[in-house]
């Protein structure tokens, strides 16, 4: 048991030396609490009648007290979470002490002893300031129907609704400027792509990467492009050919309808002439246009 205590004391002293050598705020906080426990142990030894104590013994007792307090806090935290709470209360600590075998009835008499020494509380460290970049909105308090022991709401930036889309721009000038900028970007991208993948020429002999120019490829027949029609001209020729074919088919259909109408009209006129000849005898008939059948106009359908 003594060997274990000496080992704990040596580990505690090594932890203390490591904390002294660092400048981390968390390590400084632990070092301050450790020094407070050392003061408590020294005062208890003074109350017990000791005039002096070795450093190793003080470190061993400090480590034992720290372990005992840590176990009490852990047990109280587990009882607190078992009852669906986040902060331990006095009954949780009492139950933890009883579980560890401590006689709770002796606490009031021990707290009212006459030789007790009052130790000043360690300075309260301020909470680290949260950067303003991470703060969005204000934290909401608990409503009336939520108990106060439940955890607080998370940071507002985790659940605040942020619109991710904007209304489309309908301004003519803005649209033209955007289209022009996109066209310029596309041209630049194509130019850079051609400069990287193809042959290039430079304005300067020494530096070939500052101002690369797309190399012009000589053609064997330079006037061939002037003789060949462009894509726009070919498209126009195809459109005119298709329109002429449509007109031709419409004319053929119209002529067929007219021939059919004329044949029908001749048959009707011949029948009318026969009737008139039978009624009027030898009287000659006049071709009256008002006696002809009605002809409905043919609508031309556009294809």
């Amino acid at each position: 048991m003594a060997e274990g205590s000496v080992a704990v004391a040596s580990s505690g002293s090594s932890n203390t030396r490591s904390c002294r050598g660092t400048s981390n705020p968390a390590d400084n906080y632990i070092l301050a609490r450790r020094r407070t426990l050392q003061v408590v142990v020294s005062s208890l030894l003074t109350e017990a009648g000791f005039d002096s104590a070795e450093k190793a013994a003080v470190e061993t007792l400090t480590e034992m007290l720290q372990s005992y307090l840590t176990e009490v806090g852990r047990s109280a935290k587990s009882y607190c979470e078992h009852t669906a709470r986040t902060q331990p209360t006095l009954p949780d600590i009492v139950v933890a002490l009883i579980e560890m075998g401590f006689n709770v009835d002796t606490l009031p008499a021990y707290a009212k002893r006459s030789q007790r020494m009052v130790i000043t509380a360690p300075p309260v460290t301020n909470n680290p300031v949260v950067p303003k970049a991470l703060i969005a909105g204000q934290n909401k308090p608990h409503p009336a129907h939520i108990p106060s022991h439940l955890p607080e709401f998370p940071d507002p930036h985790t659940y605040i609704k942020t619109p991710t889309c904007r209304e489309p721009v309908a301004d003519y000038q803005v649209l033209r400027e955007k289209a022009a900028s996109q066209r310029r970007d596309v041209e630049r991208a194509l130019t850079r792509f051609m400069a990287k993948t193809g042959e290039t020429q430079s304005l300067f002999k020494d530096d070939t990467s500052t101002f690369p120019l797309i190399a012009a490829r000589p053609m064997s027949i330079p006037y061939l492009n002037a003789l060949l029609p462009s894509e726009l001209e070919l498209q126009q020729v195809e459109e005119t050919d298709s329109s002429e074919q449509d007109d031709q088919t419409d004319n053929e259909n119209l002529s067929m309808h007219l021939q059919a109408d004329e044949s029908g009209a001749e048959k009707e006129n011949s029948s009318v002439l026969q009737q008139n000849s039978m009624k009027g005898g030898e009287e000659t008939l006049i071709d009256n246009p008002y006696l002809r059948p009605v002809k409905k106009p043919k609508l031309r359908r556009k294809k």
Side-chain angles (χ1 to χ4, degrees), residues 235-280:
Q235 185 177 2
Q236 292 178 354
V237 170
E238 291 178 356
E239 291 178 355
T240 53
D241 293 341
S242 61
S243 61
E244 290 178 355
Q245 291 179 359
D246 295 338
D247 295 338
Q248 185 177 0
T249 53
D250 293 339
N251 293 329
E252 291 177 355
N253 295 331
L254 181 61
S255 61
M256 291 173 62
H257 288 298
L258 291 176
Q259 291 177 0
D261 295 338
E262 289 177 356
S263 62
E266 290 178 354
K267 291 179 181 179
E268 292 177 358
N269 291 332
S270 61
S271 61
V272 171
L273 291 174
Q274 290 177 1
Q275 293 176 1
N276 292 332
S277 60
M278 292 174 61
K279 291 179 181 180

Side-chain angles (χ1 to χ4, degrees), residues 201-226:
Q201 296 177 355
S202 179
L203 295 176
F204 306 99
K205 295 181 180 179
D206 299 334
D207 190 1
T208 58
S209 61
T210 304
F211 297 100
L213 301 177
I214 299 174
R217 297 178 180 178
M219 298 181 63
S220 59
I221 306 176
Y223 55 86
L224 185 62
N225 290 332

Side-chain angles (χ1 to χ4, degrees), residues 9 32-69 110 113 115 117-120:
R33 298 296 179 184
R34 182 82 176 185
R35 288 177 179 176
T36 303
L37 290 178
Q38 290 177 356
V39 173
V40 171
V41 170
S42 300
S43 64
L44 291 176
L45 291 175
T46 304
E47 291 180 7
F50 291 94
D51 295 333
S52 62
E54 293 182 359
K55 187 176 181 180
V58 174
E59 289 290 339
T60 302
L61 294 174
T62 303
E63 189 69 26
M64 293 173 65
L65 179 60
Q66 183 178 358
S67 300
Y68 189 82
L69 295 176
Y110 183 77
R113 67 188 185 277
Q115 298 178 356
M117 297 179 63
V118 180
I119 302 172
T120 58

